[in-house]
Amino acid sequence: MPSLKDLRNRIASVKATQKITKAMQMVAAAKLRRAQTAAEAARPYAERMSAVLGNLASGITVGPDTPRLLAGTGSDKVQLLVVCTAERGLCGAFNSSIARLARDHANRLLAEGKTVKIICVGKKGYDILRRQFAEQIIEFVDLRAARQIGFEHGDMIAQKVLALFEQGAFDVATLFYSRFQSVISQIPTAQQIVPAQIESAGAASQAVYEYEPDEGEILTTLLPRNLTVQVFRALLENAASEQGARMSAMDSATRNAGEMIKKQTMTYNRSRQAMITKELIEIISGAEAL
Amino acid sequence: MATFNFELVSPERVLFSGQVDAVVLPAADGDVTVLSGHAPLMATLKTGFLVITDKPGNGKRVLVRGGFADIGQNSLTVLAQRALPAEELTQEILDKEILQAEMAYDATNDLAAKHAAESAIAQLREAKAALNY
């Protein structure tokens, strides 16, 4: 039986924890709003971009001159995994679910005898994947210094991927991130970015286009841009998902702390009363004995 | 005057969306004025001012740095890499842009890329000079 003082201390410490989780939840809620608007504002650009690319790609036939970013290298031996996670923890299963998806994917590829290379964006994913794939991780991108995800961050990562592709360091690249669906639901997603996945436009948009400068040149500038936009979008979706996950995790932590406080207070009051009763009995029986 | 649908989108936000009379694009090979009923055209953009005329005699200027214009049937979509409305431009922003362009100029050895960066710097300097009036 813990003493009254012990119980008091325990209640105080749970209360302090509850205050912290409550504050974290409110901070996450405020950040979520900002991240969500950023993610939503970036959506039109990405959508138009894939529409334009679809228009363009439906007009050309894949041949030896087609940029390799679109047609691929013709092999899938070396696979690059770009795993985007958060820089901080305490956000429920957010980081581990992305990492799990990436790990399963990597294990499957390794079982098929393919070479796997991993680029980690975000410290948490790096920490998780490092244990198993220490040799496969070729790079770790740290975005801790960035307060707000900007286009330049997406660009930086995309440039790294492009440079590797130019060197012929991989054949297929897949991007792992968490798609933001709602505050309580974030879906870990794998998206192939190299070679580019193009949803072909409907037959209605089969207008004869003029190109300025020429088709090939536009395609060669558009494809790397598309890669940047996809990475940028993934980063924004991830940022919104992270805050959403943190918010719901902290909300349930606050609720659990509340429950714990209630239970502990009950025990505390009970043992206090028991003590008072015991003392009274002692006094009364002492008086009776006289 | 016949109007057409115009959208100006940058990675961060949608800057303009609506019916317009005419748009002047700083296309890579020279300025292009787009009016309603323009033939389908896809063009890359260089650094320069994009002029939106949504009512006769009312032009809006937006500084764009690189991007694409997709002219479809009675619609124009511009995907700008960076876009700054003229009224938001300040000396510091332009200085930063010029610095970036100069860095791009120094970073490359490719003749065409150097040329593009050079013209971008010239355009930005011009915009900066125009701001002082």
Side-chain angles (χ1 to χ4, degrees):
Chain A
M1 187 71 198
S3 74
L4 282 184
K5 192 166 184 305
D6 284 345
L7 277 170
R8 251 196 324 262
N9 283 344
R10 209 175 294 166
I11 292 170
S13 93
V14 177
K15 268 188 180 154
T17 313
Q18 191 191 28
K19 269 185 199 144
I20 294 170
T21 56
K22 182 97 194 157
M24 278 183 81
Q25 188 215 334
M26 286 195 287
V27 170
K31 280 188 179 164
L32 171 69
R33 209 165 310 135
R34 215 169 42 194
Q36 207 175 341
T37 33
E40 270 157 19
R43 251 176 226 163
Y45 190 83
E47 276 163 17
R48 301 286 141 64
M49 179 63 103
S50 49
V52 169
L53 204 57
N55 264 349
L56 200 57
S58 62
I60 60 160
T61 43
V62 176
D65 300 336
T66 321
R68 290 198 307 161
L69 274 174
L70 181 64
T73 53
S75 141
D76 59 351
K77 284 244 69 85
V78 187
Q79 299 257 356
L80 179 73
L81 274 53
V82 184
V83 185
C84 302
T85 52
E87 296 291 353
R88 290 192 186 86
L90 287 180
C91 42
F94 173 76
N95 289 313
S96 52
S97 61
I98 299 175
R100 189 178 334 116
L101 188 71
R103 190 171 53 217
D104 291 349
H105 193 81
N107 280 334
R108 200 172 55 242
L109 290 173
L110 286 172
E112 286 169 15
K114 287 174 181 141
T115 316
V116 173
K117 293 178 179 176
I118 300 176
I119 293 182
C120 284
V121 181
K123 184 168 157 292
K124 284 291 156 185
Y126 177 62
D127 286 346
I128 299 171
L129 292 174
R130 187 171 49 178
R131 274 178 240 144
Q132 198 183 342
F133 301 107
E135 295 123 58
Q136 276 89 349
I137 293 176
I138 50 170
E139 193 147 359
F140 162 48
V141 181
D142 194 339
L143 292 180
R144 240 173 309 175
R147 276 182 49 241
Q148 179 109 36
I149 299 291
F151 192 64
E152 63 271 18
H153 300 115
D155 198 37
M156 178 188 68
I157 295 162
Q159 291 311 330
K160 282 191 177 97
V161 174
L162 283 173
L164 285 172
F165 190 69
E166 295 289 311
Q167 294 160 19
F170 68 89
D171 300 310
V172 178
T174 316
L175 186 64
F176 290 86
Y177 66 101
S178 195
R179 200 147 47 87
F180 180 77
Q181 193 165 51
S182 71
V183 178
I184 42 165
S185 142
Q186 300 87 26
I187 307 158
T189 312
Q191 185 192 357
Q192 187 184 316
I193 46 172
V194 178
Q197 292 273 319
I198 306 229
E199 58 240 62
S200 53
S205 59
Q206 290 293 340
V208 183
Y209 267 92
E210 275 176 51
Y211 296 98
E212 183 189 318
D214 60 272
E215 214 172 323
E217 202 168 314
I218 290 188
L219 207 54
T220 42
T221 37
L222 194 60
L223 283 167
R225 190 80 51 81
N226 180 52
L227 186 71
T228 308
V229 169
Q230 297 302 341
V231 174
F232 177 55
R233 187 174 55 173
L235 289 180
L236 286 179
E237 293 266 341
N238 233 12
S241 300
E242 180 197 345
Q243 299 305 340
R246 177 163 301 129
M247 203 177 114
S248 45
M250 286 303 120
D251 185 45
S252 62
T254 310
R255 225 165 322 122
N256 284 346
E259 254 167 52
M260 210 186 229
I261 291 171
K262 223 160 107 192
K263 244 188 263 166
Q264 301 257 12
T265 315
M266 190 101 88
T267 328
Y268 173 71
N269 285 340
R270 277 222 187 103
S271 44
R272 192 171 58 93
Q273 263 174 341
M275 203 118 103
I276 293 168
T277 319
K278 202 178 87 191
E279 272 172 21
L280 277 177
I281 290 171
E282 273 165 8
I283 292 167
I284 292 167
S285 47
E288 267 175 6
L290 283 176
Chain B
M1 200 171 166
T3 59
F4 62 99
N5 195 31
F6 171 59
E7 273 181 341
L8 174 60
V9 201
S10 80
E12 281 94 6
R13 60 186 166 149
V14 179
L15 279 112
F16 188 95
S17 176
Q19 295 290 321
V20 292
D21 279 340
V23 176
V24 181
L25 301 172
D29 295 346
D31 286 7
V32 175
T33 304
V34 181
L35 296 170
S36 170
H38 197 288
L41 170 78
M42 202 170 284
T44 52
L45 303 181
K46 60 178 190 202
T47 302
F49 278 102
L50 187 146
V51 185
I52 308 164
T53 314
D54 50 356
K55 292 189 278 292
N58 180 19
K60 235 183 278 178
R61 282 150 57 83
V62 181
L63 183 71
V64 293
R65 283 198 53 199
F68 289 89
D70 177 13
I71 304 167
Q73 271 134 5
N74 245 4
S75 76
L76 167 61
T77 309
V78 172
L79 300 172
Q81 202 173 10
R82 282 178 69 59
L84 297 159
E87 58 268 25
E88 283 177 26
L89 283 180
T90 60
Q91 291 280 358
E92 295 101 77
I93 292 177
L94 279 172
D95 280 337
K96 223 186 274 171
E97 296 286 324
I98 290 174
L99 191 72
Q100 266 182 23
E102 280 172 344
M103 264 153 56
Y105 178 79
D106 290 336
T108 172
N109 280 322
D110 183 38
L111 212 63
K114 262 207 181 326
H115 185 71
E118 211 168 354
S119 87
I121 295 169
Q123 276 286 344
L124 290 167
R125 289 238 166 88
E126 209 174 291
K128 194 179 157 191
L131 201 68
N132 289 332
Y133 290 112

